[in-house]
Amino acid sequence: MIHDIEYETMPREALEAIQLRRLQNTLARVYSSVPFYRDAFNAAGIKPSDIKSLSDLSRIPFTTKKDLRDNYPFNMFAVPMDNVVRIHASSGTTGQPTVVGYTARDIGTWSNLMARALAAGGAGRGDIIHNAYGYGLFTGGLGIHYGAERLGASVIPVSGGNTKRQVVIMKDFGPTILTSTPSYALHLAEVAEEVGVSFDSLKFKFGVFGAEPWSEKMREEIERKLNLIAVDIYGLSEVMGPGIAIECHEGKKGLHVFEDHFIPEIVDPETLELLPYGEKGELVFTSLTKEAFPVIRYRTRDITSLNPEPCICGRTHVRMSRVTGRSDDMLIIRGVNVFPTQIESVLMETEEVEPHYQLVVDREDNLDVLTVKVEVSERTFTDEVKGLQSLERRISKNIKELLGVSARVKLVEPKGIDRSQGKAVRVVDNRNI
Amino acid sequence: MKVEQISVFLENKSGRLSEVTAILAESEVNIRALALADTSDFGVLRLIVDDTENARKALKNNGFTVGKTNVIAVEVPDQPGGLHHILTLFYKADINVEYMYAFVRSSGDNAVMIFRIEKEEEAIRLLEKNGVSVIDGQRLYSI
Ligand SMILES: [Zn+2]
């Protein structure tokens, strides 16, 4: 179902007229109220009034994660604090967290966009949504929650963790929609199996998964193990949170970006040159309606491409392809670019292992050494050491063939790789460069 | 005539083996034979116990990957050439031994060897035809 039929199926021309008007308003507002943007525009010799068409956007300087950090905590806010009703922060896995704020109207916009996203993922009034995204500073839990309420669905704010209890809730409350990270969805499947609950006996129809990169193979695995239709959702707290883009369950081929609220661009992460539709590069966002925390040409670090072709669902908004990695998650191993999701796709094709993995990079004698830790699977475990060793060699060979990089594959015990706490830690880089 | 053996995947981390033995002790499972095959990364622990199902469940519940395989237990005369005789029989019949290890206790005057063989039916027939005694599970667990 399309939640916001007027805006989501708007002809491109009308959509672009709205984008331009909203862009001009946003630029004027940040120029007058956020010193960082005023300085950046001045340094580039640009005034908001110079922006006369959407293509003029490319003249405006980029904003980076570092800029947000430098303005920690509230200096990027475009409204006085007494208009801010909510504060979230991104996890500071590397350095300082970034802090974002929302006005009451921002929360309303976000709720509406999340309602759109859930509807595109198959949810509607009467559905029961099992929301296993973490509640807290992370935008996932509350973002989905408000959207579910806006949609008129019943939401179970179960959050992350205590997985055995979650299985009981799934059995007793009969939720029809699951929202979680893809790795947690697989963890739920494992725990359900351990306690003897089959997903075939549960009522799930659709699942909306995101907040970490995942592959098409992982989708197949989730759909098979959880007996539901899985779609990809995209968002990041710096731009808003979940609900910036969503895959429609009818098409399941790319995520519609809600272009009446955000302008997506794809740039070359090295040269920063704008790339045409279809080409892979770094995703850049400009918000069009946000009040407390507008972002202008924010570099997400996520690698994707945009597809403007019409979609069978009827939405006219461009689709971004599944994020294949982050330009800062990208590992350079002996000069070869490696995205964790590429390794994941190799593992997904290997029946004998679970899709839980971790990449560890060390430097030994000035050479990069990549170790892929992957869990041995109960289903196919044999007691033959030879068999297990040849499995390691086979995975290593497949990685070499696909990526051109040598990897040492190390089988680990089940649950040897932590995944119960929301986002899985996929990369441990021990190189001190 | 087959004997059930359980195998456990172990990472080479200190203390993992003693965790297995602790779990089995807690579940009142008695270990009758044990062999560890290991590489630099991981090991496979093979166990013959008096209560296979109970042991399997206890280990699984504690997060171990557990497999079950059939092996055969053979009485080997406790004298020079005893084992050689049996291996020669297998070799001549083109029966491949994946691995073998010794059972802790003996059966009367004979030692007991555990063999993992793919063609186990064939192996059992061959041994019995040649007068070598194969011990079944029930008897083995109670030795
Ligand atoms: Zn669509």
Side-chain angles (χ1 to χ4, degrees), chain A residues 23-320:
Chain A
L23 174 65
Q24 287 167 331
N25 285 339
T26 298
L27 294 175
R29 227 154 32 76
V30 298
Y31 190 80
S32 67
S33 52
V34 183
F36 166 82
Y37 286 118
R38 186 165 48 238
D39 294 347
F41 290 15
N42 285 343
I46 290 172
K47 285 197 181 51
S49 57
D50 295 337
I51 306 304
K52 303 246 181 329
S53 71
L54 287 177
S55 60
D56 288 336
L57 178 60
S58 61
R59 298 170 53 195
I60 295 175
F62 293 99
T63 308
T64 64
K65 181 117 183 161
K66 181 176 180 302
D67 297 327
L68 304 189
R69 284 199 185 120
D70 290 346
N71 287 281
Y72 177 89
F74 302 143
N75 288 342
M76 294 296 270
F77 286 17
V79 296
M81 275 311 278
D82 61 0
N83 288 338
V84 172
V85 302
R86 175 95 66 82
I87 292 166
H88 280 286
S90 72
S91 56
T93 39
T94 46
Q96 206 144 38
T98 49
V99 182
V100 295
Y102 303 79
T103 64
R105 191 161 162 262
D106 288 335
I107 295 291
T109 304
W110 186 15
S111 305
N112 183 47
L113 295 185
M114 253 325 301
R116 283 187 190 180
L118 289 167
R125 184 173 279 274
D127 275 310
I128 301 176
I129 298 181
H130 184 102
N131 185 20
Y133 280 106
Y135 281 66
L137 282 176
F138 169 57
T139 48
L142 283 167
I144 302 268
H145 185 101
Y146 273 61
E149 288 188 350
R150 173 68 64 95
L151 189 63
S154 316
V155 56
I156 309 170
V158 69
S159 195
N162 204 343
T163 309
K164 279 193 178 143
R165 195 178 110 225
Q166 297 216 14
V167 173
V168 174
I169 287 173
M170 293 184 324
K171 207 172 82 186
D172 294 348
F173 296 8
T176 50
I177 309 283
L178 174 63
T179 53
S180 72
T181 59
S183 56
Y184 190 71
L186 285 175
H187 180 61
L188 267 172
E190 278 178 349
V191 173
E193 198 192 327
E194 273 169 29
V195 299
V197 171
S198 158
F199 266 83
D200 295 349
S201 70
L202 301 179
K203 298 214 173 82
F204 285 117
K205 294 180 295 184
F206 296 100
V208 177
F209 306 107
E212 63 192 19
W214 51 310
S215 63
E216 206 53 42
K217 287 276 169 194
M218 193 153 170
R219 171 176 5 230
E220 285 166 25
E221 172 118 14
I222 289 174
E223 291 192 331
R224 183 164 48 76
K225 285 191 169 162
L226 278 71
N227 192 29
L228 46 72
I229 291 168
V231 302
D232 193 4
I233 185 168
Y234 176 84
L236 68 171
S237 65
E238 294 89 335
V239 179
M240 181 181 77
I244 295 166
I246 182 77
E247 205 170 39
C248 56
H249 70 86
E250 299 94 336
K252 288 210 293 190
K253 264 209 163 77
L255 299 82
H256 292 283
V257 178
F258 293 133
E259 285 182 284
D260 50 337
H261 293 269
F262 306 97
I263 296 179
E265 296 172 278
I266 301 290
V267 301
D268 182 314
E270 301 291 321
T271 65
L272 299 181
E273 234 165 90
L274 203 59
L275 297 175
Y277 281 141
E279 270 186 47
K280 247 184 193 193
E282 182 176 335
L283 179 62
V284 172
F285 272 117
T286 299
S287 71
L288 297 176
T289 51
K290 284 180 76 196
E291 293 182 334
F293 196 89
V295 283
I296 309 299
R297 302 199 86 200
Y298 179 69
R299 293 183 56 186
T300 64
R301 295 285 173 186
D302 287 327
I303 303 292
T304 183
S305 61
L306 295 176
N307 170 13
E309 282 163 32
C311 180
I312 55 164
C313 70
R315 289 177 182 82
T316 52
H317 297 186
V318 292
R319 280 173 286 166
M320 56 182 266

Side-chain angles (χ1 to χ4, degrees), chain A residues 194 376-378 381-386 388-389 392 408-416, chain B residues 5 7-11 16 37 39 41-42 44 46 60 63 65-67 69 98-99 116:
Chain A
E194 273 169 29
V376 67
S377 163
E378 180 94 323
F381 168 63
T382 81
D383 74 329
E384 305 286 337
V385 171
K386 278 185 292 196
L388 295 170
Q389 283 178 317
E392 288 184 334
R408 200 168 144 256
V409 174
K410 186 171 186 258
L411 294 176
V412 298
E413 291 170 18
K415 318 289 188 306
Chain B
Q5 170 196 267
S7 40
V8 187
F9 181 86
L10 291 179
E11 275 172 51
R16 281 311 260 170
T39 71
D41 282 350
F42 64 84
V44 175
R46 295 156 184 155
K60 272 189 76 157
T65 300
V66 188
T69 15
E98 301 280 351
Y99 57 78
R116 166 75 180 136

Side-chain angles (χ1 to χ4, degrees), chain B residues 20-136:
Chain B
V20 170
T21 51
I23 290 162
L24 294 180
E26 243 165 65
S27 319
E28 297 184 346
V29 171
N30 196 356
I31 300 172
R32 311 311 306 242
L34 171 155
L36 179 67
D38 62 352
T39 71
S40 56
D41 282 350
F42 64 84
V44 175
L45 179 67
R46 295 156 184 155
L47 292 160
I48 292 175
V49 297
D50 60 351
D51 186 347
T52 305
E53 247 342 276
N54 193 3
R56 214 162 94 112
K57 253 190 231 138
L59 290 168
K60 272 189 76 157
N61 286 344
N62 281 282
F64 284 95
T65 300
V66 188
K68 199 162 78 173
T69 15
N70 287 326
V71 291
I72 57 178
V74 180
E75 280 193 29
V76 181
D78 198 2
Q79 64 191 48
L83 178 60
H84 179 69
H85 170 62
I86 290 167
L87 290 177
T88 308
L89 286 176
F90 286 149
Y91 175 71
K92 285 189 176 152
D94 199 20
I95 289 172
N96 190 30
V97 176
E98 301 280 351
Y99 57 78
M100 53 185 243
Y101 54 95
F103 197 67
V104 192
R105 305 273 193 93
S106 52
S107 167
D109 287 338
N110 293 332
V112 178
M113 290 294 296
I114 306 293
F115 288 90
R116 166 75 180 136
I117 286 166
E118 221 160 85
K119 305 183 208 168
E120 54 196 19
E121 303 286 351
E122 204 183 319
I124 292 170
R125 274 199 306 276
L126 173 77
L127 292 171
E128 289 185 330
K129 205 174 76 191
N130 285 279
V132 178
S133 159
V134 180
I135 307 174
D136 71 17

Side-chain angles (χ1 to χ4, degrees), chain A residues 335-349:
Chain A
V336 180
N337 294 352
V338 174
F339 287 104
T341 42
Q342 293 176 299
I343 304 271
E344 182 181 305
S345 69
V346 172
L347 298 177
M348 287 287 174
E349 279 169 31

